[in-house]
Amino acid sequence: MSSANSFQVIDLIALTDDFDLHTNHSCRFASESSQKWLSNLTDTDNGTPVLSPRERSGITSMKMGLLAALCFPRCDAPQLRLLTDFLTLLFISNARVFSSSDEEETSWTIAPENNVTGIDILASHTLFKHIVPQITRAYQTSSGIISPTWLTRFTHSTAAFRDAQLKVVVKHNNHTPSLDEYIHLRRDISGTRILLLLSELHEISSIPDEENETPHIETLTQATIDIYAWSLDICAYQIDQSHGCKYNLVAVLMQHKSLSIQGAVNLAGTMLKDAVTSFRTAESHLLVSLKPESYSNSSSNPLAWILGTIFDPTPSPSSSNQHQQDEKRKEVERYVRGLRSLIAGTVNWVYETEIYFGKKGEEVRTFGWVFLNKTS
């Protein structure tokens, strides 16, 4: 272990400085209404507050409404509110898990595996059950519009999230996962796939079913999850180490690569850069594959094409097929734009929230230096 009391983090914003960043106009509404609701939320069985006094007092400084607004800048106010509620409960839930050594503290009621949906799984959690009515209404309203595979994918993602949380609790004490084990677990416990599926439920972004399992789409989605999760890990290391939490990418790299803190942070930064490169490569290949045939050999910028600034006006031999292809292309474009917004929103938000750097976010953004908290 390094004896250094500080380290310098990679410039996260510079990695994706060409990704558009916008803020949802309903940011303030979603933030204030969500904070008020969560602060007054009580258990329907016994009337006790759902959140602890410490959790309630920290809601405002978390700035989860801003995270939702940066990641989903184009959705309506009610949609943004639900995403804000989910993100807040997600962060609180994971914070509880990473500080717990008791399986009961995960707040899950282990539901039978047969004939349960992702909505049922969320309903078995003491926090997430409170947003199940909103999700259920949205699903019933959109069931004739969204992909018929949505519920299956949602169920798989929520089950993976639940299982990842339980795995952390069971192995938490004095256990540092292997790098491969941690990478897979972090993807699930981040809850990013659930977040993306909630955005699809609200028609914020979606992809055609026939494109859902293609390698480029999966590479894009997985790279987005890794960028999101590893960015948070790098920023969270000073907090995690002070509590002895070993479920952090930096801590795992220090343990298994015999690195100093700075060496592990640097390697995590390299992994993050590689994930961004993977995203860009998959994006380029995907967009080229969906271009009209006459542009298949074009060297034009994929982002310019994604925004519709380059368009081939030549009619296709089959206008019906061309129309279907155009509609599919537009859906994929919207999905990719959504992933870009999620990435850009996250790497900018980490300097605004007080979760990681307290009130020194702007300092860290400018100089990169982080000073370790004392171990508790």
Side-chain angles (χ1 to χ4, degrees):
M1 296 287 288
S2 170
S3 60
N5 62 2
S6 64
F7 59 92
Q8 192 170 29
V9 299
I10 186 175
D11 186 346
L12 297 173
I13 295 176
L15 288 177
T16 56
D17 57 3
D18 61 322
F19 284 24
D20 289 340
L21 180 69
H22 301 285
T23 306
N24 194 297
H25 295 306
S26 300
C27 178
R28 183 172 181 177
F29 159 78
S31 298
E32 293 180 350
S33 59
S34 181
Q35 289 167 19
K36 182 177 180 180
W37 176 68
L38 287 165
S39 295
N40 295 298
L41 190 60
T42 57
D43 192 291
T44 54
D45 294 330
N46 53 31
T48 58
V50 171
L51 303 184
S52 70
R54 184 176 181 179
E55 289 167 344
R56 292 197 299 273
S57 66
I59 289 177
T60 301
S61 62
M62 290 172 72
K63 300 183 181 179
M64 302 310 295
L66 177 61
L67 175 60
L70 291 172
C71 292
F72 303 98
R74 298 172 184 85
C75 67
D76 296 333
Q79 300 168 341
L80 187 66
R81 165 62 196 279
L82 175 59
L83 294 169
T84 300
D85 291 343
F86 172 76
L87 280 166
T88 308
L89 295 176
L90 173 65
F91 272 65
I92 292 174
S93 175
N94 275 341
R96 289 181 178 182
V97 166
F98 287 126
S99 62
S100 172
S101 59
D102 182 351
E103 188 168 338
E104 292 182 2
E105 291 300 317
T106 61
S107 304
W108 290 105
T109 300
I110 309 302
E113 292 301 323
N114 296 327
N115 301 319
V116 295
T117 68
I119 296 175
D120 296 325
I121 293 172
L122 288 185
S124 73
H125 191 275
T126 55
L127 292 180
F128 294 113
K129 70 179 183 181
H130 296 284
I131 59 171
V132 164
Q134 298 95 303
I135 296 174
T136 301
R137 283 196 298 271
Y139 176 68
Q140 291 172 343
T141 302
S142 306
S143 59
I145 303 172
I146 61 171
S147 163
T149 68
W150 183 88
L151 188 58
T152 300
R153 289 180 284 127
F154 189 72
T155 299
H156 176 79
S157 297
T158 50
F161 170 72
R162 179 201 60 193
D163 294 346
Q165 282 202 339
L166 293 175
K167 186 179 294 185
V168 169
V169 172
V170 169
K171 295 185 176 182
H172 190 276
N173 287 339
N174 301 315
H175 174 73
T176 302
S178 69
L179 180 57
D180 186 63
E181 176 189 0
Y182 180 73
I183 288 173
H184 285 88
L185 182 144
R186 190 67 178 93
R187 288 169 180 164
D188 290 334
I189 207 169
S190 73
T192 318
R193 287 189 187 273
I194 301 176
L195 185 63
L196 291 172
L197 284 163
L198 287 176
S199 75
E200 182 178 335
L201 178 63
H202 288 88
E203 300 180 75
I204 300 169
S205 67
S206 63
I207 48 178
D209 278 344
E210 62 270 24
E211 296 292 331
N212 192 46
E213 301 300 328
T214 61
H216 295 319
I217 286 289
E218 179 55 28
T219 299
L220 272 171
T221 305
Q222 186 166 292
T224 300
I225 295 170
D226 289 342
I227 295 166
Y228 171 87
W230 297 347
S231 296
L232 299 186
D233 269 13
I234 291 172
C235 295
Y237 176 70
Q238 64 147 336
I239 306 296
D240 290 343
Q241 64 83 34
S242 70
H243 298 301
C245 177
K246 299 179 181 180
Y247 280 84
N248 179 290
L249 180 61
V250 176
V252 171
L253 291 173
M254 288 176 67
Q255 176 72 27
H256 294 296
K257 302 291 184 180
S258 300
L259 295 171
S260 65
I261 295 175
Q262 189 63 62
V265 170
N266 291 345
L267 182 53
T270 299
M271 293 172 62
L272 196 53
K273 290 178 182 177
D274 291 343
V276 173
T277 299
S278 176
F279 180 96
R280 293 183 188 278
T281 301
E283 175 190 49
S284 178
H285 289 163
L286 176 65
L287 299 181
V288 167
S289 71
L290 290 172
K291 284 185 180 182
E293 188 175 347
S294 60
Y295 272 83
S296 60
N297 295 320
S298 172
S299 60
S300 55
N301 186 315
L303 180 58
W305 181 81
I306 213 178
L307 297 175
T309 60
I310 296 175
F311 178 70
D312 180 9
T314 306
S316 168
S318 171
S319 58
S320 176
N321 289 342
Q322 184 62 54
H323 176 72
Q324 292 177 0
Q325 184 68 13
D326 287 345
E327 290 302 309
K328 182 172 77 171
R329 188 178 72 241
K330 289 176 183 178
E331 279 191 78
V332 173
E333 289 172 3
R334 187 172 63 160
Y335 182 72
V336 176
R337 279 198 300 271
L339 296 182
R340 280 175 158 255
S341 292
L342 180 62
I343 292 170
T346 301
V347 300
N348 279 270
W349 169 80
V350 294
Y351 300 107
E352 301 294 334
T353 179
E354 295 180 23
I355 294 174
Y356 307 115
F357 309 125
K359 297 184 182 297
K360 297 182 178 180
E362 187 59 38
E363 243 179 78
V364 176
R365 185 206 302 260
T366 303
F367 302 107
W369 285 104
V370 178
F371 292 89
L372 297 178
N373 293 337
K374 292 182 180 179
T375 303
S376 58

